[in-house]
Amino acid sequence: MGRTSSITRAAVLTATLTLTAASLVGTPANAEGTATTEYTVVANDNVSAADATAAISRAGGKVTGSNEAVGMYTVVAPQAGFVEKASAQSGLVGATHKTAIGKAPKKEQAGDVEREAQQAAKEARKHGGGGKPATAGMDPLDDKLWGLTTVRSDKARKVNAGDKRVTVGILDTGVDASNPDIAPNFNWALSKNFAKDMPDIDGPCEVASCLDPVGTDDGGHGTHVAGTIGAAANGLGVSGVAPNVSLVELKGGQDSGYFFLEPTVNALVHAANNGIDVVNMSFYVDPWLFNCVANPADSPAAQAEQRTTIKAMFRALTYAHNKGVTLVSALGNNHDDKGKPRPDISSPDYPADVAYERPVDNSTCWDLPTEGPFVISVTALGPSLNKSDYSDYGVERATVSAPGGYFRDGLGTDTYRTVGNEILSTYPKKVLQEEGSVDEAGNVLPEFADSVFKQCNAVGQCGYYTYLQGTSMASPHAAGVAALIVSAHGQREGRNGFGLEPWKVEYILTTTAAEHACPTPRLVSYVDVGRDPEFDAYCEGSKQFNGFYGHGIVDAYAAVTAHMWWERH
């Protein structure tokens, strides 16, 4: 995607580029002001729905839908000039284009962080080379899940494997509920798709309505995340960190991997209104690496759209938190110190060749959702427990650390640059077939035998599994531990009569995390593993809290066995 290394194939495409809006959407000169498109509009604080609708009308728009919980409106308006007119209305924060401004590839580009091992393998082949709490056991492929043992889920599940009343929302590209490791824990009643397919970026719609059925995932990323959180411990494939909790699909991402602002906000509000306990968010706001309030390098229209995105996301995150949702997010794959961000040279990243260098004022620019309010941000580490080369870091934003994979870990050993350094989890057969590792009959091709796995149960239902790496994979490890915390320490509270306030979840998560000191020396160079000096990272802080590990590495066993001061004994 637009970043050097995206958090996921998924990127939140809010279409904030308006520098050449008319040309980007193809408006003929003689049709300016007549052709229309969709926008997402956000009202100012304390503005009624009636007043917001009137302001939208004055700007030339027509309201076609709304989410009044966060003051957000779906609007049809002229392609040219509406953003500027909306931002001039006193009752509105502004508007952002809902329509895609560029066509993105479905597959990752070569060198993408998450598929580094697969890309390396392709190059090698090209060149000819190489009543009581529920408890649970382990599954056949769990011996490949170094992340599971790193967070001590193997020990935690002997005490508490999760409570079915605890729900974890997967705000992602969907979840493949046909996988027999996902099916036992999938919550059909609460799952919902908020992101209608868009043929210009997703390809042809699979169904007439263009709204994919719940329980499907044409991107794969969401299914991988879901498996790490809560794949069932059922004697098949892999098991998740919390193998007995309920998984809720919150499809806010397109099949192509992008996330638009409106579906993302609607998914968070749905989670809040339906008592979902934990939401995992492994995505970031695109096409701007950082959304800024008033970056002088941006046009007034671009500034207005970014302010709209910031306001909408801040409101949605706050609303969800206040309704009892624990929010967990990937910190990012841009190898950046979040408190000292480098100049942004990659934005806007769509359409191609329009990016320009822009300074990043840390006090007025945000990488969302990870830098939003009430969000637990997770850095990534490898099997050696070293910070992954790609992972963002910094004392300002790092809350905890968790296994995310590090393909280049183990320098000087036989594990260096091997796929086993990444994270294995569930994955849709359809996507693997499209990627060329599984044939039409559903068999794994021999050349992928080390990176793609197929396991079937007694009735012939088969699950598929593959490796990815990224802070997208670290975040679900932390979300899984958060779900175990609600399971073990939940009280009679919340919409469903059982839950745990987010501040308590975060308190237990951070106080039971395994403290990990900065390396010596504190300045870590990744040049020896083939990275540019730009990847060099300096670890600030103490053993108790630092920029690489936050409060420490999440620890499922310590979390479920902890005794909190507010609990009765």
Side-chain angles (χ1 to χ4, degrees), residues 37-186:
T37 190
E38 276 194 312
Y39 296 86
T40 299
V41 176
V42 175
N44 271 318
D45 295 337
N46 303 315
V47 172
S48 68
D51 288 345
T53 300
I56 290 167
S57 179
R58 287 194 298 271
K62 179 180 179 181
V63 174
T64 60
S66 66
N67 187 328
E68 294 183 15
V70 291
M72 186 177 71
Y73 300 85
T74 305
V75 173
V76 173
Q79 288 178 336
F82 178 72
V83 170
E84 293 85 347
K85 292 177 181 178
S87 64
Q89 293 292 321
S90 60
L92 305 178
V93 175
T96 178
H97 282 83
K98 188 178 177 185
T99 303
I101 59 173
K103 186 174 182 180
K106 183 178 178 64
K107 306 304 175 191
E108 290 121 329
Q109 301 297 317
D112 182 82
V113 164
E114 292 189 354
R115 304 306 293 266
E116 187 176 3
Q118 289 83 341
Q119 295 294 341
K122 287 179 183 178
E123 289 300 311
R125 288 194 295 274
K126 185 186 301 181
H127 297 291
K132 293 182 179 179
T135 58
M138 303 291 282
D139 279 349
L141 295 177
D142 284 352
D143 61 347
K144 303 179 187 301
L145 304 189
W146 58 269
L148 208 62
T149 53
T150 297
V151 304
R152 297 209 294 173
S153 169
D154 55 331
K155 291 192 66 177
R157 68 186 55 195
K158 295 176 182 178
V159 177
N160 194 319
D163 190 311
K164 275 290 188 291
R165 293 174 294 178
V166 176
T167 49
V168 183
I170 318 299
L171 209 174
D172 217 292
T173 59
V175 176
D176 178 12
S178 70
N179 188 302
D181 256 333
I182 298 293
N185 292 339
F186 191 76

Side-chain angles (χ1 to χ4, degrees), residues 407-423:
F407 177 65
R408 304 180 189 216
D409 207 356
L411 180 65
T413 74
D414 57 5
T415 63
Y416 176 59
R417 294 181 66 91
T418 57
V419 72
N421 288 335
E422 298 187 342
I423 303 299

